[in-house]
Amino acid sequence: MTADGGAGRIGVGRIGVGFAACHHGEILQGVFLDENDRPCAGLVTLPMQGPGTRAEFTPTPGTSPGQLTVFPADRTKALRAAALAIEECAALRGQAPCRGGELTLSGDVPLGLGMGSSSSDVIAAIRAVADAYGLRLPPATIARLAVRAERASDPLMLGGRPLLFAQREGRVLEVLGDALPPAVVVGCTLGGGTPVDTLSLPAPRHDHEDVRAYERLRALLRRAVADADTALLGHVSTESARRAQRVREQREFGLLDRIAGRVGAVGLQIAHSGNVAGLLFDPAAPDLGHRLRRCVRALRTCGIPVTRTFATGTTGTTGTTGNTGNTGTISEEHLHGRTHVRRDRPARSDTTRRRAHLPALRDDEGRLGHGGGTAPARHRHRTTR
């Protein structure tokens, strides 16, 4: 825990700001053995740069707990996180908790797709409260508070390293390495893009065979990270998604698996508690552009909305604007052919009439991709009161 230089006692009107990213579902999720050989639920998320939640917190000292509010009003998990963070930060500062205040959330993480929207809200809220107190809480503290606020949390407070994280305990089971193997992900949504109430999902039941199977996948993922083996990454992700079918069946799983085989993907990944999914490709493939274009066409032909294409370990994504990022891995030429062909030129600010090739999670009309379906709620809200 560090304090920003010279920040004194919390004062009326001091605004704290926090941000947290989201993710693109899981690479691996199941039950694993911890350091004491105890079975423990854990997951490895697929990081994604771009969408996230921004939180602003304005404390009101001398008020009652009932005067702590959140906007939008349905972000009750973030409200609980803010209350817990106030208690934590006040204790660290040796002050009485301010109790009341205003928490405002804004962002572009779709709700209920399995992208960690609630964890993003919660972590951003905790960081905003800490900032109002002139503190920077360590990730372990944020994880502890996040789990208390929402019962299970994604490891968004820990950055983009591949971690096996015990989501219900808020602790790292294993650091798998510095970065996932390089991969290009063509994102899509299943189930018509409808939001999923994660709290309504049945609790998974695992036996000793499940533990052995997930431990094998854990070992394979560890090797994939160590060797930067994209094909092995795809194998682990596909097998994890296949096993998750026993808990929450995705009717498009078989179709997505067949498309992956036809277009030369190394595997697929599906959020275990939502409808976001992706097909994984080796960026070193000499015909990467052809594979990506075939993948996009196949998904759209089957009525599966395409969302965005991005690369692991980079900030490069292709969304509604057709921007290519900074890696050189994903380009307009990869996705849509040679850029000198008129119909494939990237859109500019003066070409608003032209439809983007790869829409982001919702297009300007609020629809998911080109495949239709019901768009989930998306919390883009005010940033000032």
Side-chain angles (χ1 to χ4, degrees), residues 222-346:
R222 186 188 301 123
R223 193 174 85 198
V225 171
D227 297 342
D229 190 331
T230 305
L232 190 54
L233 172 72
H235 170 75
V236 171
S237 181
T238 302
E239 290 307 306
S240 178
R242 194 184 309 279
R243 295 189 69 85
Q245 287 289 101
R246 300 180 303 167
V247 177
R248 179 172 176 269
E249 185 176 358
Q250 290 278 9
R251 60 181 178 83
E252 299 104 328
F253 176 84
L255 177 60
L256 206 64
D257 196 24
R258 290 192 294 274
I259 291 175
R262 290 203 309 266
V263 302
V266 297
L268 56 89
Q269 61 93 208
I270 297 177
H272 290 206
S273 60
N275 281 324
V276 71
L279 278 76
L280 281 60
F281 292 84
D282 186 345
D287 56 347
L288 176 63
H290 177 64
R291 297 185 188 204
L292 295 180
R293 291 191 294 273
R294 286 188 63 203
C295 179
V296 170
R297 286 196 300 268
L299 290 172
R300 290 175 177 167
T301 298
C302 294
I304 297 177
V306 177
T307 55
R308 64 173 64 213
T309 298
F310 63 98
T312 59
T314 72
T315 57
T317 63
T318 299
T320 50
T321 60
N323 293 332
T324 59
N326 60 3
T327 67
T329 299
I330 310 170
S331 68
E332 284 291 300
E333 183 169 336
H334 277 142
L335 293 170
H336 312 297
R338 296 287 299 276
T339 55
H340 71 265
V341 178
R342 181 173 183 176
R343 67 178 180 275
D344 292 328
R345 287 176 182 167

Side-chain angles (χ1 to χ4, degrees), residues 45-87:
T45 58
L46 177 59
M48 182 181 68
Q49 298 290 332
T53 300
R54 184 178 190 270
E56 289 186 357
F57 176 67
T58 304
T60 311
T63 54
S64 66
Q67 292 177 275
L68 181 62
T69 61
V70 63
F71 180 87
D74 63 347
R75 301 296 189 266
T76 55
K77 294 178 182 178
L79 186 65
R80 285 199 297 271
L84 292 170
I86 288 170
E87 297 282 350

